[in-house]
Amino acid sequence: MISKLPTNLPPHRSFKLIRNFLNSGDLQRARYLFDKIPEPDLRTWTILISAHSQRGFVKEAIEIYTTLIERNIKPDKLVLLSVAKACAASGDLIKAKEIHEDAIRFGFNKDLLLGNAMIDMYGKCNCVDGARWVFDGLVVKDVISWTSMASCYVNCGMPRQGIFAFRDMGLNGIRPNSLTVSSILPACADMQELKLGREVHGFVLRNAMEGNVFVSSALVKMYASCLSLKQARIVFGKMPQRDVVSWNVMLTAYFLNKECEEGLALFYQMRKEGIKLNHASWNAVICGCTQNGQNKQALDIFAKMQDSGFKPNQITVVSILPACTSLESLRAGKEIHGYVFRHWLIEDKTIATALVLLYAKSGDLLHSKEVFDMMPQKDIFAWNTVIIANSMHGNGEESLMFFRKMLSVGIKPNSVTFIGVLSGCSHSQLVDEGFSIFNSMSSEYSIEPDGDHYSCMVDILSRAGRLQQAYEFIQKIPIEPTAGAWGALLGACRVYKNAELGMIAATRLFEIEPENSGNYVLLSNILVTAKMWAEASEIRKMMRDKGIAKTPGRSWVQVKNRVYTFVVGDKNNKQNDEIYRFLDAVSEKMKLAGYQPNTDFVLQNVDQEEREETLCSHSERLAVAFGILNSSGKSTIRVFKNLRICVDCHNAIKLIAKIVDMQIIVRDSLRFHHFKDGYCSCCDFW
């Protein structure tokens, strides 16, 4: 028992006993005995601080040192060296400065060994000025001094200064070692300084450093970052020894250079060859797949990671959430949210913000707001995300509310903030509020509007029916109007049936983005509605002559873990007969409720009955029917479409939602539509 330890031993016996406890790893007994000694000698203080620091108990090491100073005991160099290493490990800048002051006060600030440790200490605390102060105060500087200073610059996000320090090191006659090289190569990677990286590689070869795994791994990463994957492969292939870090570097290199298949092949090779994978290996593949658009693959790897006994960490979660968002997979997102909650990761701002976006883009705005409200700290990214989330769901008033609340808590808006707020104003026809916010950008926040902001203003005016004012606004834009501006005007011309302005907007769009089929189709629909059959036929002929095909409409709905996709007239689903029987049955009820099919946009050479049948088989209607048939008692279904929802389907789904007494959420290419009780959240304006 600890209480039975002798406490009245002479100093030399106490020192030996404490040292024995420390050597055996029993810090608890050593500390207990130490605390019972009335006046421990300096060497006892030293071994106790050093042992705690070396074993990772850095806070305890710093506390013991603080007690030493409070007792007015003068530390020696070894004590200061141990506590400097503890400060480096803890990243405690306040304590680091105190240690530096003590080194000066007790006359050790010129010591090379301690000076090098303090440069590293300041570097780990992200304090370049402190490191430079120590460095400049050293009378003699060795390779460790220069390496630590260069490394400090690189770690603190100042790669150029790190490269300058590396060059000054050579000019001062100091020969770099392998640690110097592996410290400076990341700076070459960050700045994509391929020429300098090759010079360093030459130095490595001349000095036979290529056998060092850290140097070779840094070279692979440097070449990959400089988009020289061929050279990265050569270095990796010549490595005499490869640890998991070097494999991970090459793995990341493939994904960084958008060679996803090669990256996956290397990953499976690692597993086949028995390389002991770590979290970084799994995270590199998951993140790489997500960044390269291989979202389903990312989720598959994520599942295999857990099957292999690895628990996702913060990096894993941050990497996989964008894949769920891109796939609009609410089910997978909720599962990850549960994991985040159970493992206390919800306080991570990046993770929480990603969840806010995931829920919003998956059609669940309620949970999106709940996650945001639970965040203990919110930065500009979190506020922008919740503002944009409400905008995409057409909640302009809510977007404005969050914007004002953000300002009230002292968060300064940026360019993205204003795009989110102005977009919200456009979907809710808040013209005056939109103009007020737009004008405040430069007058109050010194942010010059760009093409996206001007496009939002055109959208605000267009959606409010002020088409002529929107056209005049475009003509006064001080920069070249974007496709977004003209597209907003063209879309409003469809709603307000203004063929004249529609043709002007479309003509400009044909010049800006000649391959975008949507602009041709939209103009053709406007002309058909205006009974301008010849002009509409000319537009379709223009598409055929240019080889421009209409983008096929696709709608999809997730049932359990599977996504089901539909196209117009789809007959490939196993429940095909049930779907069409359901639509026929609900169609009769809709007609009794006064529904009249809107066949304006169906080709004029098809008879009325065929037009109505064509409308009934639109992809979004098929997906809605399938979702309802497989709702399993749920009160809400969510459907996604790659194009703008058609007017007739919009009217039909309003009635379907009322007939089946469900909420139907449809996200088209412009926004979310929340259908319930015969109404839509967009107020028939999109």
Side-chain angles (χ1 to χ4, degrees):
M1 297 291 292
I2 290 178
S3 58
K4 294 183 179 180
L5 287 173
T7 57
N8 56 351
L9 297 173
H12 71 281
R13 290 287 306 279
S14 297
F15 171 79
K16 287 183 179 179
L17 190 55
I18 289 173
R19 184 181 62 188
N20 290 338
F21 283 140
L22 292 174
N23 288 338
S24 65
D26 194 344
L27 271 66
Q28 187 180 11
R29 290 194 176 199
R31 182 64 187 272
Y32 177 82
L33 182 57
F34 174 83
D35 289 339
K36 296 298 182 181
I37 303 173
E39 294 184 10
D41 57 16
L42 188 57
R43 60 179 182 166
T44 308
W45 287 95
T46 303
I47 62 166
L48 195 68
I49 293 170
S50 178
H52 279 81
S53 180
Q54 289 173 1
R55 286 173 171 79
F57 297 98
V58 292
K59 289 184 178 179
E60 291 80 356
I62 294 170
E63 288 172 2
I64 297 168
Y65 173 79
T66 301
T67 304
L68 178 147
I69 295 299
E70 288 172 349
R71 293 190 186 183
N72 293 319
I73 299 172
K74 179 182 176 181
D76 62 9
K77 184 175 73 174
L78 293 178
V79 171
L80 290 167
L81 191 63
S82 295
V83 78
K85 291 179 179 178
C87 286
S90 68
D92 188 340
L93 180 58
I94 295 174
K95 206 64 187 179
K97 289 180 177 179
E98 291 179 10
I99 300 304
H100 188 188
E101 290 170 1
D102 288 346
I104 295 171
R105 180 155 57 104
F106 296 117
F108 296 110
N109 56 305
K110 302 292 183 182
D111 183 84
L112 179 61
L113 186 63
L114 180 58
N116 290 343
M118 289 196 296
I119 295 170
D120 180 67
M121 172 187 74
Y122 274 121
K124 298 286 174 57
C125 294
N126 292 315
C127 182
V128 170
D129 291 340
R132 190 77 212 189
W133 183 15
V134 176
F135 181 81
D136 290 341
L138 291 176
V139 178
V140 178
K141 303 178 182 71
D142 61 7
V143 65
I144 298 175
S145 314
W146 285 96
T147 299
S148 299
M149 192 66 237
S151 181
C152 174
Y153 280 125
V154 176
N155 292 337
C156 292
M158 302 170 69
R160 189 173 298 279
Q161 286 82 348
I163 289 172
F164 289 157
F166 177 72
R167 285 172 171 162
D168 289 343
M169 175 181 182
L171 294 173
N172 280 271
I174 304 296
R175 188 180 187 83
N177 59 19
S178 58
L179 184 60
T180 317
V181 171
S182 57
S183 298
I184 205 62
L185 279 169
C188 302
D190 290 342
M191 297 183 63
Q192 295 191 327
E193 281 278 0
L194 182 58
K195 183 179 179 181
L196 178 61
R198 283 174 172 161
E199 291 175 8
V200 176
H201 191 182
F203 177 85
V204 168
L205 294 174
R206 289 192 300 274
N207 292 272
M209 293 182 183
E210 63 270 27
N212 185 295
V213 68
F214 298 106
V215 171
S216 294
S217 294
L219 280 169
V220 171
K221 186 174 182 179
M222 182 276 297
Y223 279 120
S225 299
C226 295
L227 306 180
S228 183
L229 192 57
K230 182 179 178 181
Q231 193 62 46
R233 284 196 196 101
I234 292 171
V235 175
F236 181 75
K238 290 183 177 180
M239 291 176 67
Q241 290 183 320
R242 299 174 189 152
D243 60 3
V244 68
V245 175
S246 57
W247 281 93
N248 289 347
V249 168
M250 193 65 219
L251 196 60
T252 305
Y254 277 118
F255 290 112
L256 185 66
N257 286 269
K258 302 188 182 302
E259 296 198 14
C260 197
E261 289 186 10
E262 288 79 0
L264 286 169
L266 186 69
F267 175 70
Y268 290 122
Q269 182 185 343
M270 290 171 68
R271 299 186 74 186
K272 187 177 179 181
E273 293 187 11
I275 305 299
K276 192 173 182 181
L277 303 177
N278 57 17
H279 271 91
S281 312
W282 291 99
N283 290 343
V285 182
I286 292 170
C287 183
C289 287
T290 304
Q291 291 176 345
N292 285 275
Q294 300 294 322
N295 298 303
K296 289 183 180 178
Q297 185 75 59
L299 284 173
D300 288 343
I301 299 293
F302 179 70
K304 288 176 182 175
M305 174 185 182
Q306 295 175 86
D307 291 341
S308 299
F310 283 86
K311 288 186 176 181
N313 58 20
Q314 287 172 282
I315 297 173
T316 318
V317 175
V318 169
S319 300
I320 197 61
L321 281 174
C324 300
T325 303
S326 296
L327 292 171
E328 293 143 343
S329 180
L330 187 59
R331 186 186 182 97
K334 284 184 174 180
E335 289 175 359
I336 293 171
H337 187 186
Y339 179 88
V340 165
F341 190 82
R342 290 192 302 273
H343 292 82
W344 300 93
L345 299 175
I346 196 63
E347 292 189 4
D348 184 290
K349 285 186 288 188
T350 304
I351 290 176
T353 302
L355 283 169
V356 172
L357 183 62
L358 181 144
Y359 278 118
K361 292 194 73 174
S362 299
D364 192 341
L365 189 59
L366 178 63
H367 275 92
S368 178
K369 291 177 183 177
E370 286 178 353
V371 174
F372 178 81
D373 290 339
M374 289 175 64
M375 293 178 68
Q377 293 182 320
K378 304 174 179 74
D379 57 14
I380 184 64
F381 301 105
W383 285 103
N384 284 350
T385 302
V386 77
I387 289 170
I388 291 169
N390 280 276
S391 294
M392 69 174 69
H393 283 264
N395 292 356
E397 294 284 2
E398 289 283 300
S399 292
L400 280 171
M401 182 272 290
F402 281 112
F403 175 66
R404 290 165 182 151
K405 194 172 181 180
M406 181 188 85
L407 297 178
S408 70
V409 297
I411 302 294
K412 185 178 179 181
N414 59 18
S415 178
V416 176
T417 314
F418 286 104
I419 290 173
V421 180
L422 292 173
S423 177
C425 290
S426 71
H427 284 295
S428 299
Q429 299 186 50
L430 302 172
V431 180
D432 294 337
E433 292 87 344
F435 264 106
S436 175
I437 289 167
F438 179 78
N439 292 330
S440 72
M441 287 180 62
S442 54
S443 63
E444 295 182 35
Y445 303 103
S446 301
I447 298 174
E448 287 302 314
D450 60 22
D452 290 330
H453 300 110
Y454 285 113
S455 295
C456 285
M457 287 308 302
V458 175
D459 201 31
I460 288 172
L461 291 168
S462 299
R463 288 177 182 275
R466 303 183 187 182
L467 301 188
Q468 189 60 39
Q469 190 178 349
Y471 178 52
E472 292 170 0
F473 184 89
I474 291 177
Q475 293 177 308
K476 294 177 183 178
I477 293 177
I479 59 177
E480 186 67 27
T482 64
W486 290 110
L489 180 59
L490 181 62
C493 288
R494 189 268 302 175
V495 175
Y496 291 104
K497 300 178 173 59
N498 190 322
E500 182 182 353
L501 276 179
M503 286 190 286
I504 293 173
T507 300
R508 289 293 295 118
L509 285 166
F510 295 162
E511 296 172 2
I512 298 171
E513 43 183 26
E515 303 301 318
N516 187 340
S517 63
N519 297 325
Y520 296 89
V521 173
L522 195 51
L523 177 59
S524 176
N525 288 343
I526 292 170
L527 296 172
V528 167
T529 304
K531 311 301 181 186
M532 300 170 68
W533 307 115
E535 290 83 352
S537 296
E538 187 61 34
I539 296 300
R540 290 194 293 274
K541 182 178 181 299
M542 186 189 303
M543 290 179 68
R544 289 194 299 270
D545 293 344
K546 292 184 176 182
I548 299 171
K550 178 183 175 181
T551 303
R554 292 184 300 105
S555 298
W556 58 95
V557 59
Q558 184 172 7
V559 175
K560 295 183 179 178
N561 283 325
R562 186 176 170 187
V563 174
Y564 296 84
T565 302
F566 297 85
V567 295
V568 63
D570 206 321
K571 299 286 182 69
N572 295 319
N573 192 280
K574 290 182 178 180
Q575 292 180 250
N576 178 63
D577 292 340
E578 291 179 67
I579 291 170
Y580 282 97
R581 279 199 300 270
F582 171 83
L583 288 174
D584 287 341
V586 83
S587 179
E588 292 301 319
K589 294 179 181 179
M590 287 161 56
K591 287 178 180 178
L592 290 174
Y595 164 71
Q596 291 292 328
N598 185 332
T599 60
D600 284 347
F601 300 149
V602 181
L603 294 178
Q604 70 272 22
N605 59 350
V606 177
D607 64 36
Q608 183 67 21
E609 187 176 341
E610 284 184 278
R611 292 189 195 187
E612 292 184 18
E613 287 180 1
T614 301
L615 290 171
C616 287
S617 61
H618 276 190
S619 65
E620 56 264 56
R621 218 176 293 197
L622 297 175
V624 165
F626 182 79
I628 292 170
L629 291 170
N630 294 275
S631 59
S632 302
K634 293 179 181 177
S635 60
T636 302
I637 63 165
R638 294 173 175 83
V639 171
F640 301 86
K641 186 178 181 183
N642 64 325
L643 303 177
R644 187 190 305 239
I645 186 173
C646 92
V647 174
D648 186 73
C649 285
H650 189 272
N651 293 336
I653 295 172
K654 284 193 297 182
L655 288 171
I656 291 172
K658 184 176 183 179
I659 290 168
V660 300
D661 192 23
M662 294 180 70
Q663 182 180 33
I664 301 172
I665 300 173
V666 179
R667 193 227 67 200
D668 68 2
S669 59
L670 295 182
R671 56 165 290 162
F672 278 92
H673 301 261
H674 295 249
F675 298 96
K676 190 171 179 61
D677 297 327
Y679 297 95
C680 179
S681 59
C682 75
C683 300
D684 299 338
F685 202 99
W686 73 99

